[in-house]
């Protein structure tokens, strides 16, 4: 890789990480939703969550729980992006993998990954 190409690649990775960090914050550190919102955009993800809340009666607080994946069934309302982005990103993560994240206020969020094709994230 040429030096100028390396600089461009490094810049793109930094920008992608900044955007992902913003998305995590916007999705209240709900990791599955943040990953999907990274592809859709947060405003589109809000539409998915609103549709889910309206149809299921789940409160927004209930939908902020990272183990509540009922919103997965409402991704088809968005006509752009990849409705299966979350599954595509996590397809190489082995079942039973513990993922630990720390928010800026030092709250630790731990998720145990299970195959999303079975709609299971614990």
């Amino acid at each position: 890789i040429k030096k100028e190409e390396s600089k461009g690649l490094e810049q793109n990775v930094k920008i992608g990480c900044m955007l992902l960090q913003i998305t995590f914050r916007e999705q209240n550190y709900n990791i599955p939703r943040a990953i999907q919102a990274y592809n859709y955009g947060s405003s589109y993800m809000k539409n998915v969550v609103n549709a889910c809340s309206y149809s299921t009666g789940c409160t927004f607080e209930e939908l902020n729980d990272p183990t509540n994946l009922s919103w997965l069934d409402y991704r088809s309302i968005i006509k752009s992006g990849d409705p299966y982005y979350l599954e595509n990103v996590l397809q190489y993560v082995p079942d039973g993998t513990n993922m630990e994240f720390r928010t800026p206020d030092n709250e630790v969020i731990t998720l145990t990954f299970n195959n999303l094709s079975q709609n299971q994230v614990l």
Side-chain angles (χ1 to χ4, degrees), residues 19-31:
L19 290 172
L20 188 56
Q21 181 181 18
I22 290 166
T23 304
F24 280 141
R25 217 171 321 146
E26 290 172 344
Q27 297 302 317
N28 297 311
Y29 299 95
N30 180 318
I31 306 306

Side-chain angles (χ1 to χ4, degrees), residues 24-108:
F24 280 141
R25 217 171 321 146
E26 290 172 344
Q27 297 302 317
N28 297 311
Y29 299 95
N30 180 318
I31 306 306
R33 267 191 15 211
I35 292 170
Q36 187 68 47
Y38 182 76
N39 179 256
Y40 274 165
S42 288
S43 62
Y44 286 123
M45 194 66 214
K46 184 177 181 179
N47 293 339
V48 170
V49 171
N50 285 339
C52 179
S53 176
Y54 179 78
S55 295
T56 64
C58 286
T59 66
F60 293 114
E61 186 173 308
E62 291 170 327
L63 290 171
N64 278 336
D65 178 349
T67 63
N68 184 339
L69 298 176
S70 56
W71 59 270
L72 290 173
D73 295 332
Y74 297 86
R75 295 178 289 180
S76 63
I77 67 167
I78 305 301
K79 302 301 178 204
S80 63
D82 177 1
Y84 298 102
Y85 187 74
L86 178 62
E87 291 89 339
N88 291 333
V89 167
L90 297 177
Q91 69 181 322
Y92 303 104
V93 178
D95 280 357
T97 299
N98 287 323
M99 294 184 266
E100 186 174 287
F101 303 89
R102 185 177 304 273
T103 66
D105 61 354
N106 284 323
E107 177 187 356
V108 175

